[in-house]
Amino acid sequence: PVYPVSATMNMLCRVGRVRRCAGGLGQTISQVAASKQKHTLPDLPYDYGALEPHVNAEIMQLHHSKHHATYVNNLNVTEEKYQEALAKGDVTAQIALQPALKFNGGGHINHTIFWTNLSPKGGDEPKGELLEAIKRDFGSFQKMKEKMSAATVAVQGSGWGWLGYDKESGSLRVAACANQDPLHGTTGLVPLLGIDVWEHAYYLQYKNVRPDYVKAIWNVVNWENVSERLQSAKK
């Protein structure tokens, strides 16, 4: 059909506005990605040697300043690439980046929890509501330790043992995750206490005797932190 000149001009103006809008949206996405605060390596709430003799200073320094730092750096790089792929609408690239997001994002999440789960003033037994929940769901504190220790030692290759909170049932559960798979994203459980059984977490001190490391880690568990996590998970 033949449109009047005025109608044609109106159509062209609308098309121009749509194009400018689309261009502006892409620019906005890029600006948001560029301005997004990067992930940073959290400071430890204690010195590298504070958990000795149960976990020595050399392990803690390498684990925190090298391994965790690598997860943080790689997560930032991957997120930048992912934002670029989003801005371009490149779904193939987005899918290809998902494993790196899961691995490095999980590594950052898991270790950030792990450092606060430990304390030079830790050990002994939990108290109050946490202890009552453990007794209710496992029979006793000792039975919970045995169950979580067994699940953690049994992890094939590298991974984590976890005490988690099931929001649906309102109960505590023990679980294990491979590699750096985050507990919540993998099982739906809210992480309360994690034990890292990647070899870099213990090999320099315990060699290949993982059970000795898992036994020792209970001496530095920060039950106050675990209790606080339980309270937050119940909200």
Side-chain angles (χ1 to χ4, degrees):
V2 178
Y3 296 101
V5 172
S6 59
T8 302
M9 291 300 295
N10 286 335
M11 290 174 63
L12 289 173
C13 286
R14 286 197 295 272
V15 169
R17 284 196 296 272
V18 169
R19 285 175 176 169
R20 285 195 298 275
C21 180
L25 179 60
Q27 185 177 14
T28 299
I29 292 174
S30 298
Q31 289 172 345
V32 169
S35 65
K36 181 181 177 296
Q37 188 173 2
K38 292 182 179 295
H39 301 284
T40 58
L41 180 68
D43 293 331
L44 287 186
Y46 40 77
D47 294 334
Y48 286 133
L51 303 182
E52 291 186 338
H54 311 293
V55 185
N56 69 36
E58 184 180 13
I59 287 176
M60 291 299 297
Q61 183 174 8
L62 289 171
H63 198 173
H64 175 257
S65 68
K66 301 298 183 183
H67 292 281
H68 189 175
T70 298
Y71 296 125
V72 172
N73 293 337
N74 288 341
L75 176 59
N76 285 325
V77 170
T78 304
E79 283 193 341
E80 287 180 7
K81 292 179 179 179
Y82 194 83
Q83 290 295 338
E84 292 173 2
L86 281 174
K88 295 176 181 177
D90 188 343
V91 177
T92 300
Q94 293 170 41
I95 293 171
L97 288 165
Q98 302 256 338
L101 281 174
K102 181 180 180 181
F103 182 75
N104 294 295
H108 182 37
I109 290 170
N110 294 341
H111 284 87
T112 300
I113 295 169
F114 184 58
W115 307 134
T116 62
N117 276 169
L118 305 178
S119 169
K121 298 180 180 179
D124 295 324
E125 293 189 3
K127 300 176 181 177
E129 189 174 348
L130 174 60
L131 180 58
E132 293 306 311
I134 288 173
K135 289 179 178 178
R136 179 196 67 212
D137 296 327
F138 298 97
S140 69
F141 173 61
Q142 185 60 34
K143 288 181 179 178
M144 185 280 289
K145 279 180 62 176
E146 291 172 357
K147 184 171 184 177
M148 185 171 173
S149 295
T152 304
V153 170
V155 170
Q156 293 184 342
S158 302
W160 292 73
W162 290 99
L163 177 67
Y165 177 70
D166 186 334
K167 279 182 171 287
E168 290 188 9
S169 65
S171 61
L172 303 180
R173 286 173 49 193
V174 164
C177 292
N179 300 313
Q180 293 296 352
D181 293 0
L183 181 70
H184 190 262
T186 305
T187 67
L189 299 176
V190 179
L192 304 179
L193 171 63
I195 300 177
D196 185 353
V197 285
W198 279 67
E199 285 193 342
H200 61 238
Y202 63 89
Y203 197 86
L204 288 176
Q205 184 172 358
Y206 294 94
K207 300 301 184 280
N208 63 334
V209 190
R210 182 186 286 179
D212 285 357
Y213 158 72
V214 172
K215 181 180 179 180
I217 206 76
W218 291 106
N219 294 308
V220 288
V221 170
N222 184 354
W223 291 113
E224 184 177 341
N225 178 262
V226 180
S227 296
E228 290 171 357
R229 291 183 179 279
L230 176 60
Q231 292 302 317
S232 297
K234 297 175 93 173
K235 292 179 181 178

